[in-house]
Amino acid sequence: MKHDREFLANLATLRELPGADRAVVLEHARTCPECSARLAAYERQDAALAALTPLTSQSSCAHLLDRATPARAGRALRGAPVFALTLVLLLALCGRAVAASGSALPGEALYPVKLGVEALQRALTMDAVKRTEFDVRSEQRRVNEARALMERGRSQEMTISGELVSIDGGEWTVSGLQVAVSETLRAAGQPEPGTRVRMRIEISAGRAWAHSVDVVGVDGGRDVPVGAVETGTPERSRSLPAATEAVPANEPRVGTPGAATGSPAAGGPMAPNDTVTPGPDGPSRGTSATPSQSGTGATVAPGPGQAQHGPSGDGAGQGEGH
Amino acid sequence: MTGRPADSHKMLMEVLYSEHHRAILNYLYRMVGDAARAEDLAQEVFLRAFRALPKLPDAANYRAWLYRIATNAAYDALRRQRLLQWLSLRETDVDDSSSVRPEQVIQHELVQEALMKLPTTYRSPLVLFSVQGHTVREIAQMLGISEGAVKTRLSRARELFRKAYDHEA
């Protein structure tokens, strides 16, 4: 007999077969060892499966109908844990990102998160004394970040603030961090040690190079620029042609029609509202200048916080050379 | 859709529950291999059935309809759990085995483990045919397939079970 699909199906469902068909299959199985083995195996299967201990249930239909009646509420409640879990996961992820941002350095993906958290913390600090303490800690944190970048040999621009502790030629120390200051910058004006300064610096080759220096005052715990020294050329570019530092007093500024600027007395003590223009050999990447468009490098438009548009707001005489 | 009032739905559900709950529960148990999960699924099956009851024609085959819901629920649960092949009765079965001899418990474990090795499309007809004793025609109605397909699946299921059971034994 042919062991086709139909025959095998009949073998598997022997108990269902009508008497005559069943007799045919059994007759064949007597002479066919393969079918005989199958039948014996199926009988054992049926016995084993039928002998499985049945489960007994404790639940009742009344309980089920109780569950079924407030269907909407039930569905809403089933969704609640999912929502809560999602919220917890989201908060946990945010928390992890915030926690991880604590050690982020400038230029890293999480660094803006770190700054955002700091800004939020500062905004939530209502007490003036505590806020000042917070600002001092933030300043120190920036200096520490600069050090960490130097140690790791990374290149990165950033801004630091703090007290100008000492000046040793081209090496200025701000809050314990040594910064190389170019001749150009030094020629533009030199604040006295003890002055608070804000510096745009570039970390490179394990050193910090000054791009611009703002003399800042403190207003309500915030640094407020009151003067600026700036250059687009870090000291390591000193070998490049010297910058044209001053702009003729009567030359109009690009971007500020009608305004005029000049340079402070070279090497003299820097006074608030002083402005110096960058040299032509480097872009002005600081916060207080834009590159010259005249081709001479002699003119710049004032940047935010620069003396011409300082916080005093009157503008009278600001940006003029002294 | 029937014109049955809401109270009659509850009464009908109570009848269906008393007649079929135990069988459905055991079918689900053999399908998923876990007593607690089967209990939950059985509740879900009757809950779904109760909500769909108003839409069901009066002359419907309730048992086949319940089994179809149960089969879908089991498939969904198994799909979610990636077939739970690691599951063993030792960990999950809450049968009242105090009256069962230890060698019987072991035997039941082997049978269940062999069952769990079958693809769900073969497991369901075998459970319905050999564990629950349904006819091919009934199984065809329950699973929504032809009788020929049931017989073919049963034939294949028996061979797969034979290999799995011999391997387990």
Side-chain angles (χ1 to χ4, degrees):
Chain A
M1 185 176 282
K2 211 173 149 189
H3 292 175
D4 60 10
R5 182 187 290 186
E6 189 184 347
F7 179 79
L8 293 176
N10 283 337
L11 210 59
T13 55
L14 190 68
R15 75 169 192 233
E16 296 258 315
L17 292 180
D21 293 345
R22 191 175 179 181
V24 171
V25 172
L26 288 174
E27 181 59 34
H28 168 75
R30 258 193 287 276
T31 56
C32 174
E34 188 188 333
C35 292
S36 177
R38 276 178 198 251
L39 273 183
Y42 296 168
E43 278 175 19
R44 285 199 302 276
Q45 270 177 27
D46 285 341
L49 288 165
L52 287 171
T53 315
L55 273 184
T56 52
S57 175
Q58 310 298 321
S59 62
S60 68
C61 188
H63 174 69
L64 179 85
L65 293 175
D66 284 345
R67 274 183 67 191
T69 308
R72 273 180 184 280
R75 269 199 293 274
L77 285 174
R78 274 202 302 278
V82 176
F83 175 74
L85 187 65
T86 308
L87 196 66
V88 166
L89 282 174
L90 206 61
L91 288 173
L93 283 175
C94 288
R96 286 189 68 172
V98 168
S101 74
S103 57
L105 294 174
E108 292 179 356
L110 285 176
Y111 191 67
V113 177
K114 182 181 185 177
L115 294 185
V117 170
E118 277 188 24
L120 186 66
Q121 285 174 335
R122 188 178 193 281
L124 294 173
T125 307
M126 298 301 169
D127 185 87
V129 176
K130 285 184 179 172
R131 186 176 280 197
T132 305
E133 289 171 358
F134 183 88
D135 288 337
V136 171
R137 282 200 301 275
S138 291
E139 271 181 17
Q140 197 54 50
R141 218 171 281 140
R142 297 294 89 78
V143 169
N144 292 340
E145 287 164 3
R147 281 210 190 89
L149 288 170
M150 287 159 71
E151 284 166 8
R152 293 172 197 197
R154 291 196 199 160
S155 295
Q156 180 66 37
E157 269 194 54
M158 64 182 296
T159 303
I160 60 165
S161 298
E163 184 186 339
L164 178 60
V165 179
S166 66
I167 296 177
D168 181 11
E171 292 289 337
W172 294 13
T173 305
V174 179
S175 290
L177 183 74
Q178 279 200 327
V179 182
V181 181
S182 67
E183 272 180 35
T184 310
L185 272 177
R186 294 206 306 278
Q190 200 160 287
E192 297 289 336
T195 310
R196 283 186 56 74
V197 293
R198 184 167 62 200
M199 283 182 145
R200 186 72 184 164
I201 61 170
E202 181 178 340
I203 309 291
S204 180
R207 292 201 63 188
W209 314 83
H211 275 301
S212 68
V213 181
D214 285 333
V215 177
V216 292
V218 178
D219 179 19
R222 284 271 187 200
D223 288 336
V224 176
V226 292
V229 178
E230 59 183 279
T231 180
T233 314
E235 188 168 347
R236 62 196 160 95
S237 305
R238 260 194 306 201
S239 58
L240 292 169
T244 305
E245 293 175 3
V247 180
N250 58 354
E251 188 168 321
R253 283 177 167 278
V254 173
T256 52
T261 187
S263 66
M270 187 173 169
N273 305 337
D274 279 353
T275 301
V276 179
T277 55
D281 52 344
S284 175
R285 289 182 285 184
T287 56
S288 52
T290 55
S292 164
Q293 295 179 22
S294 68
T296 63
T299 58
V300 291
Q306 195 166 345
Q308 283 98 340
H309 300 287
S312 59
D314 58 10
Q318 290 190 9
E320 297 288 328
H322 294 282
Chain B
M1 174 73 192
T2 67
R4 291 189 295 263
D7 278 354
S8 71
H9 290 146
K10 284 193 175 183
M11 286 172 63
L12 178 58
M13 181 48 67
E14 281 170 5
V15 171
L16 291 175
Y17 193 92
S18 64
E19 284 183 1
H20 302 295
H21 179 264
R22 187 181 159 89
I24 292 280
L25 171 67
N26 278 282
Y27 169 60
L28 288 166
Y29 178 34
R30 296 306 159 199
M31 284 299 289
V32 299
D34 178 79
R37 179 172 289 269
E39 185 82 51
D40 288 346
L41 284 175
Q43 289 287 307
E44 190 183 321
V45 166
F46 281 91
L47 211 55
R48 280 190 207 175
F50 181 65
R51 287 179 186 144
L53 206 52
K55 298 173 195 165
L56 207 67
D58 285 332
N61 181 341
Y62 293 116
R63 184 174 65 177
W65 174 63
L66 285 172
Y67 269 95
R68 204 176 293 186
I69 297 173
T71 303
N72 289 333
Y75 285 3
D76 287 346
L78 289 169
R79 203 175 295 129
R80 282 197 297 268
Q81 292 294 312
R82 297 281 175 206
L83 300 180
L84 300 174
Q85 285 182 339
W86 47 270
L87 211 63
S88 80
L89 281 173
R90 189 177 290 110
E91 292 167 335
T92 56
D93 198 347
V94 293
D95 284 354
D96 180 15
S97 53
S98 55
S99 59
V100 183
R101 296 194 308 276
E103 60 269 31
Q104 270 185 304
V105 174
I106 294 168
Q107 176 69 12
H108 291 179
E109 277 184 32
L110 294 175
V111 171
Q112 183 66 37
E113 281 173 18
L115 261 184
M116 296 307 291
K117 286 187 174 168
L118 265 59
T120 48
T121 47
Y122 296 124
R123 195 185 311 159
S124 50
L126 187 62
V127 169
L128 291 169
F129 188 80
S130 294
V131 180
Q132 303 213 310
H134 293 293
T135 64
V136 169
R137 176 174 289 182
E138 286 168 346
I139 296 168
Q141 289 172 340
M142 289 167 181
L143 299 182
I145 55 178
S146 68
E147 291 181 35
V150 173
K151 289 174 87 171
T152 305
R153 286 190 194 183
L154 271 173
S155 171
R156 182 84 181 122
R158 280 190 178 284
E159 282 306 301
L160 288 171
F161 183 83
R162 193 177 152 193
K163 284 176 191 160
Y165 186 55
D166 287 349
H167 180 74
E168 290 295 331

